[in-house]
Amino acid sequence: MLVAGVALGGGLAFAAGEGGPSPVDHVVNHPFPVKHTGEFWAWSGQQGSMVIAALLCVAVLVYAAKRIQTGPQTEGNERYLTKNPLASMIEVICLYLREKVVRPLLHDRTDAFMPFLWTVFFFILFNNLVGLVPLLDLAHLLVPSWKADHIAPVGGTATQNLFVTGTLAAIAALVVNIAGVRSLGIGGYLKHLTAGTPAFLWPLMIPIEIMGTFIKPVALALRLMANMTAGHVLLATLFMFVGLVWKDGTNILLTGSVTLVSFVGAIAIYFLEIFVAFLQAFVFMFLTSVFISQLSHHHDHEHDEGHDHEHAHGHAHAH
């Protein structure tokens, strides 16, 4: 965080007043190695961050899995205990997501979908967390010419790129609809598009349900992208003022106060961003689970039971 403050403060101080870079420069994707807009490029800073996040995700989860698995029989009951702190934390997260979040929605299909849902959660989480590391600023500090040319091989948050979140949402939508067809059958899936309404409302409901099939993943992509972008823009804006005390020494009291308040505020927002990183990974996974559950026999049974209960209650009340 201190490195981020120094890097951003030194590079962005008085940006608005002197026509320098804006906070948005730290959330846009930096191509590499081309320098001119419009040229074809096959790599970017956010792509580099995504590769780092994916490698860390695999390494950390494999490391944790080896320490969560049951030990040899010679350890007795101790072989069932996870002693590593990191592995224990990941185990608690996985169990909570499976038993308290997904199982009430998917019931007996929970175990079949958990590998996919865990992968979605941890992949998004690691990308969100890697995005909080000032890799872009460090790269520009090491090679100043990259900053002048607005290029970088690594840096930025992959989950604030609409192409990344859109791809994740498209994969989620594919899983949701394939699961719906497998659970309900072709006929049941098509019947679901009528939303259980009378036939004379089908010309209205069927187009709405079809649009909803596409709107749901779009909302997933936009929500994740917007939340990750907003926090980073706010952080960059606050860090813009962290270099003021070195820019103008004529009023140390004023510039020093602005620097102190901005730095403390940025640190507070930084901790909030860590929470948001976990929250947005959870929200994406949770909504994917909800969409899967909406296209299942369990959802239809609960819907029918609700109608039966209301009908029985109304019938008893009438008598």
Side-chain angles (χ1 to χ4, degrees), residues 103-253:
R103 195 172 296 280
L105 294 170
L106 301 185
H107 305 286
D108 57 332
R109 297 198 300 165
T110 299
D111 293 341
F113 284 99
M114 282 316 303
F116 169 72
L117 295 173
W118 278 331
T119 300
V120 168
F121 173 81
F122 283 108
F123 179 73
I124 294 176
L125 175 62
F126 274 82
N127 273 283
N128 293 348
L129 294 177
V130 168
L132 293 174
V133 181
L135 297 176
L136 178 63
D137 302 289
L138 292 174
H140 286 170
L141 285 175
L142 293 174
V143 186
S145 62
W146 288 352
K147 181 177 181 180
D149 295 329
H150 297 284
I151 62 176
V154 66
T157 308
T159 45
Q160 69 187 26
N161 188 317
L162 190 57
F163 288 101
V164 175
T165 60
T167 301
L168 289 171
I171 294 172
L174 190 63
V175 171
V176 167
N177 287 280
I178 291 176
V181 172
R182 294 185 62 182
S183 177
L184 301 175
I186 297 294
Y189 181 84
L190 295 176
K191 182 181 177 181
H192 183 81
L193 296 177
T194 66
T197 58
F200 66 88
L201 288 178
W202 289 1
L204 176 64
M205 294 306 302
I206 291 177
I208 291 176
E209 289 294 323
I210 292 175
M211 286 189 294
T213 302
F214 295 96
I215 291 173
K216 288 175 182 176
V218 170
L220 281 177
L222 291 178
R223 178 186 290 105
L224 179 57
M225 182 272 294
N227 278 281
M228 300 314 300
T229 301
H232 286 67
V233 170
L234 178 58
L235 272 174
T237 302
L238 289 171
F239 277 132
M240 281 175 58
F241 299 96
V242 176
L244 295 181
V245 68
W246 296 290
K247 181 66 179 180
D248 184 4
T250 60
N251 195 338
I252 297 297
L253 180 61

Side-chain angles (χ1 to χ4, degrees), residues 10-319:
L12 295 179
F14 287 92
E18 297 186 357
S22 71
V24 180
D25 290 338
H26 285 263
V27 299
V28 297
N29 199 9
H30 286 64
F32 190 84
V34 299
K35 301 180 181 180
H36 304 291
T37 304
E39 290 187 13
F40 174 80
W41 46 274
W43 193 264
S44 69
Q46 291 179 356
Q47 187 172 350
S49 295
M50 183 168 61
V51 171
I52 292 175
L55 293 175
L56 283 175
C57 183
V58 172
V60 171
L61 294 182
V62 169
Y63 172 86
K66 291 181 178 180
R67 284 150 183 80
I68 293 173
Q69 66 185 5
T70 303
Q73 294 184 356
T74 55
E75 295 182 1
N77 292 334
E78 292 291 322
R79 66 195 181 110
Y80 299 107
L81 300 178
T82 303
K83 303 177 181 65
N84 183 272
L86 176 61
S88 295
M89 181 185 71
I90 292 176
E91 183 180 23
V92 169
I93 292 174
C94 290
L95 289 176
Y96 173 79
L97 293 177
R98 185 183 67 185
E99 302 301 330
K100 300 299 183 181
V101 177
V102 179
R103 195 172 296 280
L105 294 170
L106 301 185
H107 305 286
D108 57 332
R109 297 198 300 165
T110 299
D111 293 341
F113 284 99
M114 282 316 303
F116 169 72
L117 295 173
W118 278 331
T119 300
V120 168
F121 173 81
F122 283 108
F123 179 73
I124 294 176
L125 175 62
F126 274 82
N127 273 283
N128 293 348
L129 294 177
V130 168
L132 293 174
V133 181
L135 297 176
L136 178 63
D137 302 289
L138 292 174
H140 286 170
L141 285 175
L142 293 174
V143 186
S145 62
W146 288 352
K147 181 177 181 180
D149 295 329
H150 297 284
I151 62 176
V154 66
T157 308
T159 45
Q160 69 187 26
N161 188 317
L162 190 57
F163 288 101
V164 175
T165 60
T167 301
L168 289 171
I171 294 172
L174 190 63
V175 171
V176 167
N177 287 280
I178 291 176
V181 172
R182 294 185 62 182
S183 177
L184 301 175
I186 297 294
Y189 181 84
L190 295 176
K191 182 181 177 181
H192 183 81
L193 296 177
T194 66
T197 58
F200 66 88
L201 288 178
W202 289 1
L204 176 64
M205 294 306 302
I206 291 177
I208 291 176
E209 289 294 323
I210 292 175
M211 286 189 294
T213 302
F214 295 96
I215 291 173
K216 288 175 182 176
V218 170
L220 281 177
L222 291 178
R223 178 186 290 105
L224 179 57
M225 182 272 294
N227 278 281
M228 300 314 300
T229 301
H232 286 67
V233 170
L234 178 58
L235 272 174
T237 302
L238 289 171
F239 277 132
M240 281 175 58
F241 299 96
V242 176
L244 295 181
V245 68
W246 296 290
K247 181 66 179 180
D248 184 4
T250 60
N251 195 338
I252 297 297
L253 180 61
L254 176 60
T255 56
S257 300
V258 171
T259 295
L260 178 61
V261 172
S262 300
F263 187 76
V264 172
I267 297 303
I269 296 298
Y270 214 101
F271 281 104
L272 178 62
E273 281 296 289
I274 295 175
F275 169 74
V276 171
F278 280 86
L279 178 63
Q280 291 306 314
F282 171 81
V283 168
F284 195 103
M285 188 222 70
F286 173 70
L287 290 179
T288 302
S289 304
V290 171
F291 297 154
I292 294 173
S293 72
Q294 289 176 340
L295 294 175
S296 66
H297 284 298
H298 283 287
H299 181 77
D300 288 345
H301 292 334
E302 291 171 1
H303 184 72
D304 294 339
E305 289 173 2
H307 277 293
D308 293 341
H309 177 73
E310 291 176 2
H311 177 75
H313 179 74
H315 185 72
H317 182 72
H319 283 76

